Amino acid sequence: MQIEIRKNDHKIIVDDFSASEMRMCLEEGATVDFYNIIDSDNMNTAPRSLSVVQHKQSTFRFHSVNIKGGSSSLSLSIRHEGDGAACVLNGCVVAGERDRVEHNIHIDHQAQYCSSSVLYKYVLSDEAVGVFSGRVLVRKGAQHTISDETNNNLCTSRACRMFTKPELEIYADDVKCSHGSTVGWLNEQALFYMQQRGIPLADAKRMLQRAFISEVLNRIPDKSRYAHLLSEPV
Amino acid sequence: MLEIKNLHASVDGKEILRGIDLRIGDGEMHALMGPNGSGKSTLSAVLTGNPMYEVTEGSITFNGKDLLSMKPEDRAHEGLFLSFQYPVEIPGVSMTNFMRAALNGKRRYHGEKDLTAAEFIRLMKEKRTLLQLDNKLANRSVNEGFSGGEKKRNEIFQMAMLEPKLSILDETDSGLDVDAMKIVADGVNSLKRADTSCIIITHYQRLLEYLQPEIVHILYKGRIVCTGGMELSRRIEAEGFDWVRNAD
């Protein structure tokens, strides 16, 4: 599937999960909000890919929400060919049982004054497996690139596994870039504090998990796209 | 209200409490003093069921029930409250959601219906005024970015919301300026009833002058070594703990 976004157009695209391979080209000044919201109707566990080419001053925003369980695998490749292109990638995963959720991201900064911002959070339980690999490449000519990449993960069982690999490769000498990842447990002091106030442990865990992913959900402009997946109102 | 018998407890295999006996009646206010490391905070942690601490011997009865067999949340539902020495910051959980979950947790435990949104908001407003906390509190994350004084006032606000039977104030006065201490003390005094009791853990006389506890205990090396009235706390204020150490 090939999608062209014309000059200065703003398109909202809702992934219907039918295509295994998608290609997109954003012309100068174009903006795309791409919603990749997984629910029980569109479950597709086969590996899929999305390649995006961005021209001058274009903006690509990607919102991936997979919080109701179910495996998925997506490779997302973004190439900034024109100066001033920007991309924002938001990913939020809550996986349990024997789910396997994989996100492979590749951002190729080839032009000047471009930016990328990546925030992915996973909450894993049971025997779930999470994979995040994010490579940001800043080529020699891509001066004044601003890039941040963060992947924070919460493991709530002994048997779940998180594989995370943020990568940053820089060949330009005037850029501002950061990358990092964390894997941790729920804050036990916070859990006890909540229990001491009378919040049952299971509810306290649920509230902390929700608080953890809310940072990603708050970055997604149209909350109605995922609100039905949440057990409590936004 | 509370009866502790021969309580021994340890953390990471190290024994901290070495045979505590303590009885607190309805409506009584007790102060618990003692040098650093004597076991004051450990006692409050054991009472509230902190999983970091292991009870190795002894018993605790709370209003006729075996406290040690209860989960921390059920102890809270039964009316036990701890004002934390270091209140925990919980980013992303608003005070409103936190307080509503706590109150409704207690109500469900007692077979009562959840509060309606209107009832809840009215209650929040009423209790907030008592502690002079502003209305922005509701939307802020629990303790996140609160000043030291705000955190302690927020503890007493939660105490006012939950109306516990037995409150433990663990160094609630530390880090408070004199005005904030007055607000906290007035809050605690206004919540005092004939059937509620209180344990005040403190190093300083000032809070005790406001609250006027009937009984003062001195904890040393995991045991209560001395029990008396306010003359004990005044002696500590004047002389320190050396006479306690020397007597040991």
Side-chain angles (χ1 to χ4, degrees), chain B residues 109-125:
Chain B
Y109 179 83
H110 291 290
E112 296 166 30
K113 271 199 263 180
D114 286 4
L115 284 177
T116 65
E119 286 169 331
F120 177 75
I121 289 165
R122 203 178 313 126
L123 190 65
M124 283 273 277
K125 194 177 171 193

Side-chain angles (χ1 to χ4, degrees), chain B residues 35-69:
Chain B
N36 292 326
S38 58
K40 303 182 298 294
S41 291
T42 299
L43 180 61
S44 59
V46 168
L47 282 169
T48 48
N50 189 323
M52 299 261 293
Y53 296 82
E54 191 194 354
V55 174
T56 50
E57 209 182 323
S59 67
I60 307 175
T61 319
F62 183 52
N63 288 322
K65 293 181 179 169
D66 173 20
L67 196 70
L68 292 174
S69 65

Side-chain angles (χ1 to χ4, degrees), chain A residues 192-193 195-198 201, chain B residues 73 76-77 80 82 155 158:
Chain A
F192 178 68
Y193 187 75
Q195 282 181 281
Q196 206 305 300
R197 294 299 181 253
L201 183 60
Chain B
E73 55 265 44
H77 298 147
L80 189 60
L82 171 63
E155 293 293 286
Q158 293 172 43

